Amino acid sequence: MSNILIRGGTVVTAEQEQRADVLVVGEKVVAVAPDLQAPAGCQVIEADGAYVIPGGIDPHTHMELPFMGTTTSEDFFTGTSAAVAGGTTTIIDFAIPGKGQRMMDAYHAWRGWAEKSVTDYSLHVAVTWWDETVREDMGTLCRDYGVNSFKHFMAYKGAMMADDEILVNSFLRAKELGALCTVHAENGELVVRLAQLVADQGILGPEGHPLSRPPEVEAEAANRVVRIAEVLGAPVYLVHTSCQDALDVIARARAEGQRVFGEVLAQHLVIDDSVYRDPDWDKAAAHVMSPPFRSKEHQAALWRGLQAGLLQTTATDHCCFCAPQKRMGFEDFRKIPNGTGGVEDRMTVLWHHGVRTGRLTPSEFVAVTSANTAKIFNMYPKKGTIGVGSDADIVVWDPNKSRTISAKTHHQNIDINIYEGMETVGNPAVTLSRGKVVWQNDQLAVERGWGQYVPRPCHAPYWASQNKRNELAKPTAVKRG
Ligand code: URP
Ligand code: ZN
Ligand code: ZN
């Protein structure tokens, strides 16, 4: 078993910063304390002047996803290789069954594809239709396969959209199981109608995309799903919250004691909607994702939401399509595959724009890049911290190391980078995945298939017993007269 001593750094967890060494034996952390002695034959990594942080967890990626008539260009090997170059050591991807497809079949397909991963990985499974077999498979996934989160798309009508009936059935079942429902909140019916109205005006380029998905479309769905969750007493997690309006929904629900979580994407924090007016069609189309990029006012609101703890996690929604794939929608923005990349860049973008600007402390950075995610999806303290017994997913983070982000130098399998030209200060010097050095001296040292599946047990029943209107889920008989 190999030993590694990470010496002389400042160990940062969500709870504290301390000058300490970290001793790793095999895949686990065995000691965190000042002045540890290196055992004989131990590899020593000097971290002087650097932070030593838990590897990032990206709870929202789509490697090799079949979507909108094509498949994302990034597979689990290339995508997770890029992830470790940026300091992310765990991803949670999505198994998405087609309508009528058994959830178990989709889950097994994704497990097979994910075996080539370099980082550890886990899977949310989407609920895209409903019958008794879906109910049964949700139980099997929770009980036997360590899936404790189910995804619902309120958009993408005609494909994976979940209507209210599906949401209600699924939320009740998830509550029974102690699982967490996650939701893409956009009103799919409105999107289709608005997109048609935009197209009818002759607007067929990428600039039509945000017009068909304004903040109100997201806010309506966010409010509806949060209210559904409230009535049923089910916890809910909103993915890629992109605007003030949806944030307000989360803020209100949390203020009322509801167990509602919010995720924000790094790109929504730093890129605004001017990208859709780029005269270069390919560049504008490269930014077609849902929900779309918003105005600077919304960006400022998202930062405040992150600082205030209304948004607990950060993700990338890494969903890569190269220019030829985006060109499927050259004649009509509705056919541009939706998605952007960034699994490699999330940590540095958040450090540069979050920590260096004073918006986040290093501990808060750790909270929103790994610890909170590990807690919400029940893989803490295996993941999301550096403590005795934790997996040795560790990044030696050099706060002075700069990088100019570019598609020419990134490791992602996509021909464009949405952060092209952005200079960030604060980058990984060394990345360890379960005790193995996978990134050092700006070189990948990855082993195809090194990543392991991370099972996530369901939460305790107290997760569901949450809000003042819980009784609505169990109406008591009211006698007349
Ligand atoms: O545009 C996006 N976000 N594509 C990936 C699928 C999804 O909605 O998360
Ligand atoms: Zn989505
Ligand atoms: Zn997504």
Side-chain angles (χ1 to χ4, degrees), residues 60 62 67 153 156 184 240 289-290 317 319 338-339:
H60 190 157
H62 299 284
F67 186 48
F153 293 92
Y156 306 122
H184 170 135
H240 50 41
M289 65 164 301
S290 300
D317 197 0
C319 187
N338 286 201

Side-chain angles (χ1 to χ4, degrees), residues 33-44:
D35 304 321
L36 290 173
Q37 292 306 308
C42 179
Q43 179 187 348
V44 177

Side-chain angles (χ1 to χ4, degrees), residues 248-260 310 468:
D248 289 346
V249 170
I250 295 172
R252 175 180 166 175
R254 288 178 68 91
E256 290 181 351
Q258 211 180 324
R259 188 158 295 115
V260 174
L310 299 172
K468 66 180 168 25

Side-chain angles (χ1 to χ4, degrees), residues 84-365:
V84 299
T88 287
T89 53
T90 305
I91 60 166
I92 316 182
D93 208 275
F94 296 82
I96 307 179
K99 295 251 185 218
Q101 186 188 12
R102 287 291 294 246
M103 283 178 117
M104 293 310 306
D105 292 341
Y107 171 81
H108 287 302
W110 258 266
R111 279 292 301 269
W113 298 337
E115 272 177 12
K116 50 179 118 44
S117 296
V118 169
T119 62
D120 286 358
Y121 55 93
S122 199
L123 290 172
H124 313 279
V125 182
V127 178
T128 56
W129 61 291
W130 191 262
D131 77 354
E132 276 309 300
T133 66
V134 177
R135 191 185 148 73
E136 184 187 324
D137 285 357
M138 286 174 77
T140 308
L141 286 163
C142 284
R143 195 181 54 242
D144 302 333
Y145 293 89
V147 173
N148 70 13
S149 51
F150 295 99
K151 175 72 179 285
H152 307 77
F153 293 92
M154 295 174 79
Y156 306 122
K157 191 178 176 204
M160 52 230 207
M161 185 168 110
D163 61 15
D164 288 359
E165 187 180 358
I166 296 176
L167 295 176
V168 170
N169 279 317
S170 176
F171 280 32
L172 281 173
R173 179 62 169 147
K175 176 183 170 179
E176 205 169 80
L177 294 164
L180 178 61
C181 288
T182 76
V183 180
H184 170 135
E186 281 186 305
N187 183 315
E189 197 62 49
L190 280 174
V191 169
V192 171
R193 187 57 69 97
L194 292 182
Q196 187 60 51
L197 291 173
V198 171
D200 288 347
Q201 288 175 54
I203 302 171
L204 292 164
E207 68 280 14
H209 178 75
L211 298 175
S212 68
R213 310 179 99 108
E216 293 81 357
V217 163
E218 183 177 342
E220 187 286 322
N223 190 55
R224 180 160 35 105
V225 77
V226 164
R227 288 298 183 181
I228 288 173
E230 182 190 21
V231 169
L232 301 179
V236 67
Y237 174 103
L238 301 189
V239 306
H240 50 41
T241 307
S242 77
C243 59
Q244 166 93 60
D245 316 52
L247 182 63
D248 289 346
V249 170
I250 295 172
R252 175 180 166 175
R254 288 178 68 91
E256 290 181 351
Q258 211 180 324
R259 188 158 295 115
V260 174
F261 303 103
E263 168 193 283
V264 64
L265 306 183
Q267 61 268 45
H268 279 142
L269 289 165
V270 297
I271 297 174
D272 67 58
D273 54 0
S274 60
V275 291
Y276 298 115
R277 296 189 290 278
D278 197 303
D280 180 339
W281 190 95
D282 288 319
K283 277 201 196 145
H287 291 86
V288 167
M289 65 164 301
S290 300
F293 292 95
R294 306 291 192 192
S295 68
K296 290 197 186 309
E297 290 71 32
H298 289 290
Q299 273 175 32
L302 294 175
W303 274 115
R304 287 195 297 272
L306 193 62
Q307 291 173 276
L310 299 172
L311 302 168
Q312 298 78 34
T313 65
T314 59
T316 62
D317 197 0
H318 187 75
C319 187
C320 293
F321 298 105
C322 292
Q325 294 174 290
K326 291 279 184 180
R327 279 181 176 243
M328 290 164 60
F330 194 67
E331 307 282 340
D332 184 341
F333 69 85
R334 289 171 290 187
K335 297 191 180 131
I336 301 173
N338 286 201
T340 57
V343 73
E344 184 170 351
D345 308 314
R346 176 182 65 123
M347 301 283 280
T348 189
V349 165
L350 281 160
W351 183 275
H352 185 86
H353 294 277
V355 179
R356 282 182 63 87
T357 56
R359 288 171 169 132
L360 302 173
T361 65
S363 278
E364 287 165 347
F365 170 83

